[in-house]
Amino acid sequence: MEKKYDPKQFEERLYKEWENSGCFKAVRDDKKVPFTIVMPPPNVTGQLHMGHAMDCTLQDTVIRFKRMQGYCALWLPGTDHASIATEVKVVEEIKKEGLTKQQLGREGFLERAWEWKDKYEQRICGQLRKLGSSCDWSRLAFTMDERCSKAVREVFVNLYNKKLIYRGDRIINWCTECRSALSDVEVEYAEEQGKFWHIKYYLENSDKYIEIATTRPETMFGDTAVAVNPADPRYKDFIGKNVVIPVAGRAIPVVADEHADMEFGTGAVKITPAHDPNDFEVGKRCNLPSILVMNDDGTMNANAGKYEGQDRYVCRDNLVKELEEGGYLVKTVPHAHNVGHCYRCNSVVEPMVSRQWFVKMDELARPAINAVMDKKVIFIPERFAKIYYNWMENVKDWCISRQLWWGHRIPVWYCSDCGAEICEKTDPTVCPECGSKNITQDEDVLDTWFSSALWPFSTMGYPDDTSDLEYFYPTDLLVTGYDIIFFWVSRMIFSGLEHMRKVPFRDVLMHGLVRDEKGRKMSKSLGNGVDPLEVINKYGADSLRFSLLQGVAPGNDTRYSDAKVEACANFMNKIWNASRFVLTNCEGREIRSISEVKLTAADKWIISRLQAVIRDVTLTLNKYELGVACQLLYDFMWSDFCDWYIELTKPALYGADGAKKDGALAVLKFVLENAMKLLHPFIPFITDEIYRNIPGTQGTVMLAEFPRYNSKLAYKKDAAAFAGVMDIITAVRAAKTERECAPSKKVSLYIISEQKRLISANEDSILKLAGAKDITFITSAEEAGENAVAKVLSTGTVFIPMGDLVDAEKERERLQAELERVTAELRRADGKLNNAGFMQKAPKKLVDEERAKLEKYIAMREKILQQLKNYN
RNA sequence: GGGAGCUUAGCUCAGUUGGGAGAGCAACUGCCCUACAAGCAGUGGGUCACAGGUUCGAGCCCUGUAGCUCCCACCA
């Protein structure tokens, strides 16, 4: 092994080996239980960020764990065409060449988009490889590949035939920049400081008027009524009469509708059915016409009269001026309100009536809600189920058509001769109604999430009855961020239920956002994003992975910081060096199995600790508590194995006793090998590199069996006894440090103890680790001489003669403090045991433990009191 | 308007069936002892936001309060 931990030496090499030898491939094996994760497909818009890195690390850790446990583990990778997001990028790209979409034409543009896709898909897959992702590349999918397209077509036609997809004129969110419709979830609201314009609408042929208040005066050209609350006494007489829209000069009725809130504004509201969702509803109730006043690009249309052609905001300014001049403007008040923005280009969304395709949601939502209620799908943590219910229960029909080119084209044709609408699984060549060849396909494409919703089964061959679907579906786990519950998770659930008749996944592990070190969202505009590749380049993939998992709890946001990665890199270095220590000592020797050697107390202790860690790591991983599992392994590896056990084996390793050396090496190797297996799912590279160097191992650790808890190796009593030896070592070390005695200065130890055998058996360890030269068993304090520090422990009292370094007064104070501490503990235990409620209701195990503690403290107190006598 | 989360050591955060408060980083002291100074040994530091309640026992369960964060709704 190399002397220095240098991930560059092996990460790439190992990954290639894994991939080339087919380790990632999931081949159906009916003797095994499948475990499936389908990767949330990254968008082909660019490269992966820290959020992806975490998402991916979580999945890889789980899938490696399951694979080692003997499951037929499939992690299916893929990418998403991300219709609108990618189209925006490609448009930007061609703009640099002075080109527009229109200039390229649909086909030319799509060619460019496919080129873009190829480039970024490759880049993303490269990044996933760098992270160590053990996904099955032979199944790499793309939401617009043949497989997925076939599924999309099948689903669309089926829903269309069931009348769950319909086309209609409804109010939708329109992005004037992307010039496309958006679904409700694609709109992000942000509070903005706007204005409230109070405007007079005069009664027809009268000088009476109704004052209305609006934040968007330019829409008044589309007003078709003014609504007042039927219970509002102020406007009772106006109902049924007409008012005239200022400037436009058109007369519209005053209608009574509950929508008008008497408390808000002036209590009278202008109704613009074509440009406001609430007004649209009022319009339906009151049978009002709907007048569009804007074009697709956000400029005013002919209905705005002389303002035709002006941008909506230019028109707003000019119109307000005209209203003011005409005496119609009563006042302008500042008004904070939420404004919808396009989630891709951030421009202000315009509600507009438009003819679009929709998925009817109510029938689909019900079973999807029930599936979560019935625990067929389990959110981790549970609280996300509530968020899901809330959305699902109030979901509106899903607008799925987009006025874009990059995406799945809507599989509907229109006959220009007879007007028929044709939706079939294969492309029609003539109109089935009239035989005409004059049929044209709908120009629009589908919402990108329409194909994502089918991802768990479209990637496995749906609609065909494939072996994959039969074996791997439903999948076992979905790992994703809480920010796409509505976009994606919920839509997969109802789609899976509708088309597969089964939920798409059992567990949904939610994770939070990766924020920067100040807790801010990582974003392009802030420029605070950190590129995972740069981090990997500097520290290695294992360090990055470990830093992303350490200390995370499901569903919680985390912060990325270089300091954290650095700390993890130190851990890797620690693992590397410890392994190097073990392996160099193994060189040239036959390493025995632990069953063939005589185990020391220390050996049994570390093996016992290992068993506990195996048990707890398995338990926590099964619950997807990866952060906790990391901590368990970190502590075991660093504290137990490196700081204690390796140090404990040194006397044997450097000694002359061959049998002792064999014993130590057997245990060192045993623990190291198991540790590499336990750590492998988290940090795959370093563990495999080390594992291959451990004598007797074959092949890669990634295909080794995950360690299983073995109760025969738990050695509970031996481990507890050995903890007493460790206490002695710690006490001597502390005694030396407290008195500023150099650790290298060897001291003599005098011990009063009833556990002489235990101490004698571990004499070498105590001498080495405590920095002592000899141990003498004594029966009274006097034998230790005058200037001795006394440490009272559960195993006995240790005296350390330290000559001038001992200050009698300070010793007395220290012992006094010890006495107080032990007395307090004693009282606590005693209090519990004298508490009737505790004795009655607490579990027996706990009572016994308390009793044992009480006895221990009583004994210690006695000894301390005795010691104190020496200072009185 | 509705909902969720957070508040634990100077900083970042764990703490999952309620049973003696933890880690990393930072700080302080002392150490190059043949795996590792990217290290070792030791030390200090917390009325677990606040107020009640349930319980033999609460960081954890319940109620309320405050501050911060986020999501949903959109009253024009």
Side-chain angles (χ1 to χ4, degrees), chain A residues 590-597 662-663 665-667 669:
Chain A
E590 178 100 0
I591 307 303
R592 297 174 195 280
S593 127
I594 57 163
S595 57
E596 296 167 349
V597 296
D662 282 342
L665 284 173
V667 179
K669 193 208 105 172

Side-chain angles (χ1 to χ4, degrees), chain A residues 300-314:
Chain A
M300 306 306 291
N301 68 16
N303 290 324
K306 63 183 169 207
Y307 294 103
E308 181 181 5
Q310 288 186 13
D311 178 80
R312 51 186 165 162
Y313 298 118
V314 175

Side-chain angles (χ1 to χ4, degrees), chain A residues 548-833:
Chain A
L548 289 170
L549 295 179
Q550 210 185 23
V552 301
N556 286 7
D557 289 355
T558 51
R559 294 186 193 202
Y560 169 86
S561 77
D562 283 329
K564 216 188 268 181
V565 185
E566 220 164 300
C568 292
N570 289 351
F571 181 48
M572 298 309 131
N573 189 53
K574 191 75 185 172
I575 294 172
W576 185 261
N577 279 302
S579 306
R580 209 158 50 79
F581 172 81
V582 174
L583 298 177
T584 48
N585 277 292
C586 283
E587 267 168 30
R589 286 185 81 93
E590 178 100 0
I591 307 303
R592 297 174 195 280
S593 127
I594 57 163
S595 57
E596 296 167 349
V597 296
K598 190 168 178 291
L599 297 176
T600 66
D603 296 338
K604 287 181 180 172
W605 169 78
I606 193 69
I607 293 169
S608 165
R609 284 287 307 126
L610 174 68
Q611 293 311 310
V613 168
I614 291 171
R615 184 194 58 209
D616 295 343
V617 166
T618 306
L619 223 65
T620 47
L621 278 181
N622 278 329
K623 291 191 280 180
Y624 307 118
E625 290 166 6
L626 310 212
V628 179
C630 278
Q631 195 59 46
L632 289 167
L633 287 165
Y634 184 95
D635 291 342
F636 173 75
M637 203 57 198
W638 201 310
S639 308
D640 296 338
F641 188 59
C642 293
D643 291 345
W644 279 105
Y645 187 70
I646 284 185
E647 295 304 322
L648 284 163
T649 59
K650 282 180 180 173
L653 292 182
Y654 300 146
D657 188 329
K660 277 189 182 170
K661 195 166 176 178
D662 282 342
L665 284 173
V667 179
L668 282 168
K669 193 208 105 172
F670 175 76
V671 176
L672 181 68
E673 188 176 330
N674 276 284
M676 289 309 104
K677 290 177 185 169
L678 289 168
L679 281 162
H680 180 258
F682 305 88
I683 43 174
F685 293 108
I686 186 174
T687 48
D688 203 23
E689 181 67 6
I690 292 166
Y691 183 83
R692 287 158 189 251
N693 282 294
I694 298 174
T697 59
Q698 280 179 342
T700 167
V701 67
M702 103 170 247
L703 299 181
E705 194 193 0
F706 200 77
R708 286 173 201 240
Y709 176 75
N710 182 346
S711 59
K712 284 184 193 136
L713 297 179
Y715 300 123
K716 282 190 182 148
K717 272 192 182 161
D718 301 87
F722 189 73
V725 174
M726 293 165 76
D727 279 349
I728 294 173
I729 294 165
T730 305
V732 176
R733 283 168 170 174
K736 288 168 95 176
T737 309
E738 279 159 19
R739 281 155 204 85
E740 297 185 349
C741 165
S744 52
K745 199 181 165 199
K746 304 277 190 221
V747 293
S748 292
L749 303 181
Y750 294 87
I751 303 177
I752 303 178
S753 174
E754 282 156 17
Q755 301 186 52
K756 287 184 202 159
R757 266 182 59 187
L758 176 73
I759 293 168
S760 299
N762 293 285
E763 186 170 355
D764 284 355
S765 303
I766 295 171
L767 294 181
K768 162 88 178 148
L769 269 64
K773 56 181 174 224
D774 46 43
I775 297 175
T776 312
F777 288 107
I778 55 176
T779 50
S780 73
E782 288 78 48
E783 295 174 60
E786 274 199 6
N787 290 319
V789 173
K791 286 274 183 180
V792 177
L793 307 165
S794 56
T795 41
T797 307
V798 181
F799 297 89
I800 311 145
M802 295 177 91
D804 301 345
L805 297 174
V806 181
D807 177 328
E809 182 51 24
K810 275 191 181 161
E811 280 312 303
R812 202 192 58 76
E813 275 171 24
R814 189 183 58 77
L815 278 168
Q816 192 62 45
E818 266 301 283
L819 179 71
E820 272 157 34
R821 191 186 65 83
V822 170
T823 308
E825 295 289 354
L826 196 153
R827 262 197 232 110
R828 196 194 54 79
D830 197 46
K832 278 202 167 182
L833 293 166

Side-chain angles (χ1 to χ4, degrees), chain A residues 130 146 180 188 197 268 420 467 507 561 599 751:
Chain A
K130 285 257 180 200
E146 218 176 299
S180 173
E188 288 174 350
W197 286 276
S467 162
D507 297 332
S561 77
L599 297 176
I751 303 177

Side-chain angles (χ1 to χ4, degrees), chain A residues 214-267:
Chain A
T214 180
T215 54
R216 293 189 300 155
E218 69 279 8
T219 62
M220 63 194 278
F221 296 106
D223 289 358
T224 53
V226 166
V228 297
N229 194 288
D232 195 331
R234 291 173 293 179
Y235 303 115
K236 237 183 176 126
D237 298 341
F238 290 83
I239 297 167
K241 293 181 177 158
N242 282 346
V243 292
V244 180
I245 305 170
V247 180
R250 186 158 44 80
I252 51 171
V254 177
V255 298
D257 192 281
E258 298 288 346
H259 167 62
D261 182 347
M262 292 194 282
E263 310 293 320
F264 188 81
T266 61

